[in-house]
Each structure stands twice: as C-alpha cells, then as structure tokens.
Amino acid sequence: MREELQCPRITRNGKIVGYGGNQEWFSGEFQRLAGCGSVTGSNLAAIYAASDENMKPLYDPKTDPYCKEEYLKLMETMYAYMKPGFMGYPLIGRFARDFVRYAGNRGILLSPEKLFLPKKKEQSLNFILGAIKAGDPVAFLILRHPARWLREDNWHWVTITGYDEENHTLIWSNCGEREVISWDQLFDPRLKYYVGMVRFQRFAEHKKKEGSLCTNWC
C-alpha cells in the first residue's frame, strides 16, 4: 500500500521551487541555519488547511497559497512561534506546544501525540503510518543519527508526508525537496539513533477517541 498526503508544491514565476518550504528562503542568516522547525510547522499548517475546511484558519492567505512569497509569510509567522535558541530547536515537546499555541490563536484546538527515542522500528512505523492513514503529516526530528547518508540532516526537522509499504520507504519534505527514504535504513536496529516525532489531532477527535487529553498536553 502506498499513500502520500498533498504536500504543497511551492511556485515562483510559474515554476515549482519547493515540495513544502525551504529554510534557505528566509532572509536572516540564523533563520536559514536553524529555521527547519518553523518550516516543518508551516508544512503541517498548509497540509491541514488544504485537506480540511475546518482547519483552513491555519493557513488562509489572501492570494495564491502556494506562491513562494505567500508561503514565506507563513514561514516567518511560524518562526515567531518556533524561534530557535543557540542550540537550534531540537525539542519535540516544545514543537508540540508551539504549534498548538499557533493553532489555538487561530481558533483551532489541537492535541499533540509524541514519540521520542523509539526503541523499535515497529514502534516508529506504527506511529508514522497510522498518522498518514489518518491524514496527519508527521513532524520528524533527526538528532544524532549515525548513518552517513544523513550526515547533512542531523539536528534537523523534516515533514513526513507519505509511505510505500511494498518498498519499505517513507516520503518527506526536506528543505523543499521531496525525498524517498528507506525505513529499514532509517530505523536500522544495528545503529544507535536518536529521533523524535509529533502528530496532531483536532481536540474533539482526540477526546472522542481516547476519552481523555491529559497526558498529551505535557
């Protein structure tokens, strides 16, 4: 089975320049260096707004939502909520709180679900595939993964938008690029890797499903 959410294709002068946002578009040097969290937050907001009319306030520009200029405005707004410190923005709890706050200020109540330092591949895949099947993109934090192919992407946020079960791959948005990643390599049990992930549900949906919201606000 293969499934992929509708990640925004960002355009400039009629040409596609990004599968999701790209931190290189920011004007500030530190934003370009450490703005990946706010780009991921922007991608989540745009995907939800496009797929669910009730979530439209998360991203509702007055002009073309997929032109680079408008998307950069969303990224700048999100950066104000997800401003990194001198160590960047490597905290899934803070990402969850900041995105909930961003949504709440637009009248959308969300409940985050988090997974940090999963012990087994199956645990990670159940989280990710379950989220995508429910229409929820996944904010994915790569901390200290030893794989050489991830050497440029450590201490970094990406947006998981899809998967292919037959080929054992995930699809994510990374600095405006659509990348297809082997989940067997990403979650290789022979390696000691550090990752975390967050998904969101509307408050009413989560309350109906779980009967309680208590632990997910921490």
Side-chain angles (χ1 to χ4, degrees):
M1 183 177 179
R2 181 182 183 278
E3 192 161 347
E4 183 173 2
L5 304 179
Q6 292 299 311
C7 186
R9 267 69 170 183
I10 311 304
T11 63
R12 187 179 188 189
N13 298 326
K15 296 182 179 180
I16 295 177
V17 295
Y19 176 85
N22 185 346
Q23 67 200 72
E24 292 296 325
W25 298 343
F26 282 122
S27 59
E29 181 178 356
F30 190 65
Q31 288 178 303
R32 293 193 296 271
L33 179 66
C36 55
S38 52
V39 172
T40 292
S42 298
N43 291 340
L44 264 61
I47 291 170
Y48 278 128
S51 63
D52 185 344
E53 186 67 25
N54 293 323
M55 302 277 260
K56 194 173 181 180
L58 293 179
Y59 181 44
D60 190 19
K62 299 186 183 302
T63 62
D64 180 2
Y66 302 130
C67 74
K68 180 181 174 182
E69 291 76 15
E70 285 295 337
Y71 210 76
L72 182 55
K73 291 178 185 177
L74 171 63
M75 287 166 47
E76 293 281 4
T77 299
M78 196 67 67
Y79 187 86
Y81 282 83
M82 299 181 169
K83 190 170 293 185
F86 74 99
M87 291 290 289
Y89 192 76
L91 302 166
I92 65 167
R94 183 177 166 192
F95 182 100
R97 289 192 297 271
D98 289 346
F99 193 78
V100 165
R101 183 164 56 94
Y102 169 85
N105 287 343
R106 285 149 185 80
I108 306 294
L109 298 180
L110 296 178
S111 168
E113 183 178 349
K114 299 166 285 185
L115 180 61
F116 187 56
L117 303 183
K119 301 298 183 183
K120 296 182 179 180
K121 175 176 68 176
E122 291 74 21
Q123 186 181 14
S124 296
L125 293 179
N126 287 340
F127 185 99
I128 294 169
L129 271 59
I132 299 299
K133 289 174 182 177
D136 300 324
V138 176
F140 190 80
L141 175 63
I142 308 166
L143 288 173
R144 290 191 180 97
H145 199 294
R148 292 188 63 188
W149 60 278
L150 281 172
R151 62 185 179 275
E152 300 295 329
D153 294 320
N154 270 296
W155 221 257
H156 185 57
W157 286 95
V158 297
T159 314
I160 299 179
T161 58
Y163 65 87
D164 185 328
E165 287 185 285
E166 182 178 353
N167 293 309
H168 287 202
T169 55
L170 300 175
I171 303 164
W172 68 37
S173 169
N174 179 16
C175 293
E177 298 289 333
R178 181 184 181 275
E179 297 180 345
V180 179
I181 306 300
S182 165
W183 72 43
D184 293 321
Q185 293 181 21
L186 181 63
F187 302 121
D188 188 338
R190 298 169 298 177
L191 302 176
K192 187 175 183 180
Y193 56 84
Y194 298 86
V195 299
M197 54 200 86
V198 190
R199 63 177 289 198
F200 296 88
Q201 293 175 296
R202 287 179 60 84
F203 178 86
E205 294 172 353
H206 179 85
K207 188 174 182 180
K208 180 179 179 181
K209 179 180 177 182
E210 301 292 341
S212 173
L213 193 62
C214 57
T215 60
N216 287 305
W217 286 99
C218 9

